């Protein structure tokens, strides 16, 4: 009969033949996702850059609390 490698090759051929109609739609969706990811990464970079460009550090107002003993961790 057929071995495992022959069945794998037949399965790959069937997937390619049946999936060829969806290939343009799949590549278009992947391109859109890549553009969205790139624009979001750029927006995050721009959001962080104004504080870093001016040289000022972010300071959170509040009081520091010192503990005598370290807290036990579970």
């Amino acid at each position: 009969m057929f071995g495992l490698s022959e069945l794998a090759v037949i399965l790959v051929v069937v997937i390619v033949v049946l999936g060829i109609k969806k290939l343009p739609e799949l590549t278009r969706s992947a391109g859109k996702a890549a553009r969205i990811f790139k624009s979001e990464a750029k927006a995050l970079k721009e959001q962080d850059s104004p504080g870093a460009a001016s040289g000022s550090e972010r300071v959170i107002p509040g009081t520091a609390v010192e503990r005598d003993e370290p807290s036990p961790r579970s």
Side-chain angles (χ1 to χ4, degrees), residues 3-74:
L4 186 60
S5 61
E6 288 88 2
L7 287 174
V9 170
I10 292 172
L11 182 64
V12 167
V13 169
V14 168
I15 289 172
V16 168
V17 169
L18 295 178
I20 200 78
K21 292 180 183 177
K22 298 283 184 177
L23 191 59
E25 183 181 333
L26 181 65
T27 55
R28 195 175 304 120
S29 296
K32 283 182 182 179
R35 280 191 299 266
I36 291 170
F37 180 75
K38 186 177 178 180
S39 68
E40 290 295 326
K42 185 178 178 183
L44 283 174
K45 198 175 211 180
E46 289 175 355
Q47 183 181 5
D48 289 340
S49 65
S54 66
S56 65
E57 297 180 19
R58 292 201 295 184
V59 177
I60 300 173
T63 57
V65 178
E66 294 189 28
R67 296 182 184 208
D68 295 331
E69 299 176 13
S71 61
R73 299 201 181 222
S74 308

